[in-house]
Amino acid sequence: MTLDDMDIQQRLVLAFTQSKQPISGEELSHQLGLSRTAVWKHIKQLEALGFTFEASTRVGYVLRDWPDELMPALVKPHLAPDRAGALGHLILWAAERESTNVTAIQLASEGQPHGTVVTCGVQTGGKGRRDRAWTSPKGGMWFSILLRNPCALSQAADLTLLASLAVQRALAKHGVNTRIKWPNDILLNGRKLCGILAQMRTAGETIDYAVLGIGINANFVEQDLPADLQGKATTILSATGKPVYRPRLLADILAEIAALYRLFDEGGGFADIRDEWLAACATIGSRVEVQVGREIVAGTAIDVDDHGNLLMLLDDGTRHRVHSGEILFQARDVIP
């Protein structure tokens, strides 16, 4: 499918979602500058994606049902109006991508503006931290956000910390109560639900752009995950027994990230949300192992400071500050 085809389909969906009345093939042909045969072909392609239309020769087409894909025409009605400088003014969806981060980085190099969001139905080459493969089946939420000149290089770690709180806030609005595992994983019932990965291009002491990749295991079952992740990761559908409406959840996440992102413009950062972040953190008080480079440091997590660093009490009684790393919960230490 070409980019032009995708744009036409989004315009078709938008026309139907904005209209309370049936739309005739002639009217759609006029709006889109296409023949009625071409309009019919695009409607058939939308049906293959999960849209349901009712057609009448005298009345026209009525959209009866639609999927919860992260398409711009489905997400944008849930974004707040008058959103100058906000996120999601441009949303680019595709049924399949290698990786939304790969696409977003390419778009960043081509000059796409701040706030561009890249989404897809399935990722074939999604990556997590340390270049680990990230399984991204149909029904999940796979998206990346392009942030231009987001903050000073010294605040780079704040981006994912702020994003983790934004995702936690948005999920709570949908009745999904999660906790944050330092530094930026989201846990549901002690299992990983969401991962966040930031990739940046720096220029001296500043960041030219950052691409914030977010993957949420949403409307598919745990059995769709690789065998080695079952029991360690979960999905919203498996944990709650019901799906979420993904376009609305994405809109809420973008709104929460935008609200927290404004802290940078106001000269703030993680310190301004530390108390709220700590209240949502599952790590503090737990015995953990942290991988820093090739070294494994073991102890009890006791705090997170104003810069987002993890403070640990090691087994020998000394205190250790971890600036970045990855917590490896042992089987006996999994947080309930």
Side-chain angles (χ1 to χ4, degrees):
M1 185 186 302
T2 68
L3 290 175
D4 286 343
D5 286 341
M6 291 171 59
D7 180 60
I8 289 169
Q9 290 182 8
Q10 296 310 311
R11 290 166 62 192
L12 264 174
V13 173
L14 191 60
F16 280 109
T17 55
Q18 290 180 338
S19 175
K20 298 184 182 299
Q21 303 294 329
I23 309 176
S24 69
E26 183 178 355
E27 182 178 351
L28 289 170
S29 176
H30 178 72
Q31 286 185 19
L32 300 173
L34 299 173
S35 68
R36 294 180 64 173
T37 299
V39 169
W40 178 83
K41 288 181 179 179
H42 281 291
I43 286 177
K44 288 300 178 183
Q45 289 173 351
L46 286 171
E47 287 179 336
L49 293 173
F51 290 83
T52 302
F53 295 90
E54 183 178 300
S56 171
T57 54
R58 295 186 178 182
V59 178
Y61 295 94
V62 177
L63 178 61
R64 293 300 186 191
D65 198 11
W66 52 90
D68 66 337
E69 295 287 354
L70 302 183
M71 297 176 174
L74 299 178
V75 176
K76 288 191 174 183
H78 301 288
L79 295 173
D82 189 23
R83 301 169 49 259
L87 309 178
H89 54 84
L90 177 61
I91 300 174
L92 301 172
W93 178 86
E96 181 180 296
R97 296 187 192 277
E98 174 191 352
S99 160
T100 58
N101 261 34
V102 168
T103 301
I105 289 170
Q106 178 62 37
L107 293 172
S109 69
E110 295 171 359
Q112 284 289 350
H114 169 83
T116 297
V117 178
V118 178
T119 69
C120 70
V122 174
Q123 285 187 132
T124 59
K127 297 290 184 182
R129 289 196 304 273
R130 301 180 186 272
D131 207 35
R132 293 191 181 98
W134 182 277
T135 301
S136 313
K138 184 175 176 60
M141 295 180 65
W142 324 121
F143 61 98
S144 298
I145 306 164
L146 172 59
L147 305 173
R148 291 278 182 192
N149 307 115
C151 59
L153 185 58
S154 60
Q155 290 181 294
D158 288 11
L159 280 175
T160 51
L161 291 165
L162 267 64
S164 66
L165 182 60
V167 173
Q168 191 268 343
R169 283 180 176 181
L171 284 167
K173 291 181 179 179
H174 291 253
V176 182
N177 297 313
T178 58
R179 307 292 302 283
I180 301 172
K181 170 187 160 186
W182 183 88
N184 51 35
D185 285 342
I186 305 296
L187 306 180
L188 178 57
N189 299 333
R191 298 180 179 183
K192 185 168 179 175
L193 179 75
C194 167
I196 301 171
L197 175 68
Q199 295 179 280
M200 307 176 190
R201 176 179 174 179
T202 60
E205 293 302 313
T206 63
I207 299 173
D208 181 19
Y209 66 77
V211 168
L212 201 60
I214 300 176
I216 303 175
N217 299 332
N219 298 342
F220 60 91
V221 295
E222 288 182 21
Q223 289 71 24
D224 290 334
L225 294 169
D228 62 334
L229 293 181
Q230 294 178 26
K232 299 177 182 178
T234 191
T235 74
I236 293 174
L237 181 59
S238 287
T240 68
K242 57 184 180 180
V244 292
Y245 186 58
R246 293 180 292 164
R248 179 60 182 267
L249 178 54
L250 175 57
D252 288 340
I253 291 172
L254 294 177
E256 293 290 353
I257 291 178
L260 293 173
Y261 182 78
R262 282 195 288 271
L263 293 175
F264 290 125
D265 291 335
E266 297 165 1
F270 178 73
D272 294 331
I273 61 164
R274 175 176 172 271
D275 290 345
E276 183 183 357
W277 194 95
L278 282 172
C281 182
T283 306
I284 305 306
S286 298
R287 178 172 174 76
V288 297
E289 293 182 346
V290 179
Q291 181 175 337
V292 182
R294 297 184 178 181
E295 181 183 4
I296 299 293
V297 180
T300 301
I302 58 175
D303 202 358
V304 173
D305 66 19
D306 284 350
H307 301 288
N309 302 315
L310 180 69
L311 306 181
M312 295 177 62
L313 180 63
L314 302 186
D315 294 341
D316 62 6
T318 61
R319 292 178 179 243
H320 183 77
R321 188 185 308 270
V322 182
H323 298 281
S324 64
E326 181 178 355
I327 293 182
L328 307 174
F329 288 108
Q330 298 176 6
R332 63 180 180 277
D333 300 322
V334 172
I335 298 172

